[in-house]
Amino acid sequence: MKINSNYSNLKDSYLFSTIAKKVNEYKAANPDADIIRLGIGDVTLPLPKVCVEAMEKASAEMGVKETFKGYGEEQGYGFLRTAVAKYYTNRNVVLSDDEIFISDGAKSDLGNILDVFSVDNTVLIPDPVYPVYVDTNVMAGRNIVFMNGNEENGFLPMPQADVKADIIYLCSPNNPTGAVYNKAQLKEWVDYANRNDAVILFDAAYEAFIMDDTLPKSIYEIEGARTCAIEFCSFSKKAGFTGTRCGYTVVPKELVREGVALNKMWLRRQTTKFNGVPYIVQRGAEAVFTEEGYKQTQENIEYYLGNAKIIAATLDELGIKYFGGKNSPYIWLKCPDNMKSWDFFDMLLTKINVVGTPGQGFGENGEGFFRLTAFGSRENVIKAMERFKNLFA
Ligand code: PLP
């Protein structure tokens, strides 16, 4: 008997446990400290009312013989896939329902999609980045090449002619940097992927935060993407579904490698290993796409973006350089005086009782940077920024 020895190559994920430990120790030594957390990547506003009502109605249906639902289609109910397809038409993207696969969230699909690719593929991953891309490939034993995100490229790495890869991860708006690719930049990636027979895994989990109409929310807004890209999206940040769990993945039919349609492979994978998202949750997700759902989710997103704006305005005032904060719930600031990420973390914690996330935890290129999130309460954001002004003025 042999275990998957690739697991021994995973780095222990110390980031959030180290943060929690440091905060708890500080709190124990300073019980009166009023600690403000701007480090969390989870939403804090409750579910939109329309979603709750839709799920209440669906729950009631489940208790009545005539409307009870057992196993559903593994790839999601038609009503939700149709609603997702309709949402894409806002950006002039035409998808058919059978190109959309409903799942329990983007994280699962980002990991599971690797089932359809050979372990011999080389993977190109930005640094810094959402750690799931790295860890899922380490588990499978794939060769990983990193591409540098840094101040020079605005944390938006671009294709390099001499770097060859089969699978490319792009995340826009980006976690942790908040950077967003424009259409010309994504076009370069799409052309590169088509030229090299590579597949782009495009993580659009934060698309709902894009308010600038000139920026692409979907990679399929780019010509040529249907032959080279899979898109992952989520209701988590868009509609507060982090605990409710729903997302979707788009695999266009024209995406063919070695003569095989990846759409067919993914359908086979999902029907074999997945039994679908609960009917009740899918009805809740469907409500997001109604007129009232749009209004209510938009209110929440605008609330978070308002927080981001307050943080960005404070950093502007203090002359602290940052990325993101617009079209994104993340603000990626450069630690003043060339401080290291963890030193900056300690300073904020002990001097002004504000908690964020050290950039170094997202990759080597994150050293010297720091992530603040806009998911907190307005009151706390304002208070934290007053403390920033006192400390850095
Ligand atoms: N992709 C990115 C970039 C994320 O930051 C997250 C969650 O924080 C996810 C995907 C996971 O989303 P979900 O809750 O749908 O699994």
Side-chain angles (χ1 to χ4, degrees):
M1 186 279 171
K2 283 187 177 152
I3 58 164
N4 180 352
S5 60
N6 295 318
Y7 276 62
S8 64
N9 298 325
L10 290 166
K11 285 197 193 108
D12 281 325
S13 177
Y14 289 126
L15 181 60
F16 289 99
S17 52
T18 309
I19 292 173
K21 188 165 167 271
K22 278 178 178 265
V23 173
N24 288 340
E25 279 170 8
Y26 183 80
K27 188 92 184 149
N30 305 274
D32 296 332
D34 174 22
I35 293 175
I36 299 176
R37 292 166 203 268
L38 296 185
I40 50 159
D42 197 356
V43 293
T44 53
L45 293 172
L47 286 173
K49 253 199 160 60
V50 273
C51 299
V52 175
E53 284 162 6
M55 287 194 283
E56 281 171 354
K57 185 165 167 268
S59 301
E61 284 176 43
M62 293 297 267
V64 175
K65 191 169 189 306
E66 286 71 31
T67 49
F68 167 77
K69 300 266 187 302
Y71 290 122
E73 278 186 87
E74 290 90 344
Q75 63 271 43
Y77 282 101
F79 62 78
L80 182 52
R81 288 189 283 143
T82 303
V84 172
K86 189 160 169 275
Y87 174 64
Y88 273 83
T89 61
N90 293 339
R91 289 272 169 156
N92 296 320
V93 171
V94 178
L95 300 175
S96 62
D97 292 7
D98 53 0
E99 292 176 318
I100 297 161
F101 297 81
I102 307 301
S103 73
D104 64 347
K107 193 193 212 178
S108 321
D109 278 6
L110 282 159
N112 294 336
I113 195 73
L114 295 172
D115 273 12
V116 307
F117 299 113
S118 160
V119 290
D120 298 332
N121 286 317
T122 294
V123 186
L124 189 57
I125 303 182
D127 171 348
V129 88
Y130 180 55
V132 168
Y133 313 151
V134 177
D135 289 353
T136 50
N137 280 289
V138 170
M139 286 173 181
R142 274 192 200 82
N143 177 36
I144 298 174
V145 177
F146 288 99
M147 47 179 166
N148 296 324
N150 49 40
E151 278 187 85
E152 288 70 44
N153 59 25
F155 289 95
L156 293 169
M158 296 304 296
Q160 316 250 293
D162 58 336
V163 177
K164 292 275 177 278
D166 308 299
I167 300 171
I168 302 159
Y169 286 84
L170 298 178
C171 177
S172 177
N174 190 273
N175 177 13
T177 69
V180 187
Y181 281 110
N182 65 31
K183 284 187 180 166
Q185 290 167 323
L186 279 191
K187 177 72 178 141
E188 276 192 49
W189 274 115
V190 164
D191 290 347
Y192 169 90
N194 279 323
R195 236 183 357 257
N196 291 287
D197 216 24
V199 173
I200 294 172
L201 303 182
F202 189 76
D203 187 344
Y206 297 95
E207 57 82 26
F209 289 83
I210 295 180
M211 295 291 139
D212 178 346
D213 281 341
T214 65
L215 293 171
K217 280 174 172 257
S218 162
I219 195 155
Y220 304 116
E221 292 176 52
I222 312 302
E223 199 195 332
R226 288 184 59 88
T227 52
C228 70
I230 296 176
E231 181 159 295
F232 301 84
C233 207
S234 170
F235 294 93
S236 284
K237 311 298 162 85
K238 181 190 185 79
F241 272 54
T242 51
T244 307
R245 307 305 306 147
C246 198
Y248 54 88
T249 291
V250 180
V251 190
K253 289 192 195 135
E254 290 98 311
L255 180 52
V256 175
R257 290 294 179 272
E258 296 191 285
V260 182
L262 297 198
N263 179 289
K264 262 195 148 167
M265 288 182 78
W266 182 240
L267 177 65
R268 190 70 171 89
R269 192 271 169 209
Q270 289 298 77
T271 50
T272 303
K273 295 197 187 180
F274 185 57
N275 247 341
V277 178
Y279 171 71
I280 297 166
V281 171
Q282 293 193 57
R283 281 295 184 196
E286 181 195 23
V288 170
F289 297 111
T290 59
E291 203 174 307
E292 191 52 32
Y294 177 77
K295 216 178 102 215
Q296 292 180 14
T297 50
Q298 209 58 21
E299 272 168 23
N300 289 1
I301 289 166
E302 278 166 19
Y303 177 88
Y304 295 134
L305 285 173
N307 286 345
K309 208 169 176 177
I310 292 168
I311 297 171
T314 307
L315 298 178
D316 279 333
E317 192 181 319
L318 296 171
I320 297 173
K321 190 166 184 185
Y322 64 93
F323 296 82
K326 294 172 198 82
N327 303 298
S328 162
Y330 295 117
I331 295 98
W332 181 248
L333 66 90
K334 187 173 182 183
C335 304
D337 302 325
N338 292 319
M339 279 179 90
K340 297 221 160 196
S341 301
W342 278 107
D343 294 340
F344 189 71
F345 173 91
D346 290 334
M347 184 178 78
L348 289 192
L349 175 63
T350 56
K351 293 209 168 150
I352 57 172
N353 300 162
V354 171
V355 179
T357 313
Q360 189 260 346
F362 297 99
E364 271 174 39
N365 288 311
E367 181 58 285
F369 286 84
F370 200 77
R371 190 189 78 172
L372 295 176
T373 81
F375 289 121
S377 73
R378 179 62 50 85
E379 186 195 351
N380 275 346
V381 168
I382 292 171
K383 208 152 71 174
M385 289 304 106
E386 286 308 318
R387 296 184 193 173
F388 258 68
K389 285 180 198 169
N390 290 336
L391 180 64
F392 295 108

